[in-house]
Amino acid sequence: YSRTFERQVTEAHVRAAIINTFTYLGMPQSVGVGQIAPAA
């Protein structure tokens, strides 16, 4: 844990980037299978 405020801010940015990366990696990959038929 950093002591100076500037380094704490940098540390928070790094943590947020890591969390965002793990969140992105854990998301399912959605793939469209076909077209929806228009209503008659």
Side-chain angles (χ1 to χ4, degrees):
Y1 296 88
S2 301
R3 293 183 181 182
T4 63
F5 181 72
E6 292 80 13
R7 290 185 183 181
Q8 287 175 3
V9 170
T10 303
E11 191 174 307
H13 284 233
V14 169
R15 287 181 181 187
I18 290 170
I19 290 173
N20 287 340
T21 301
F22 282 135
T23 300
Y24 175 75
L25 290 174
M27 287 181 154
Q29 298 296 320
S30 299
V31 178
V33 209
Q35 269 188 323
I36 299 174

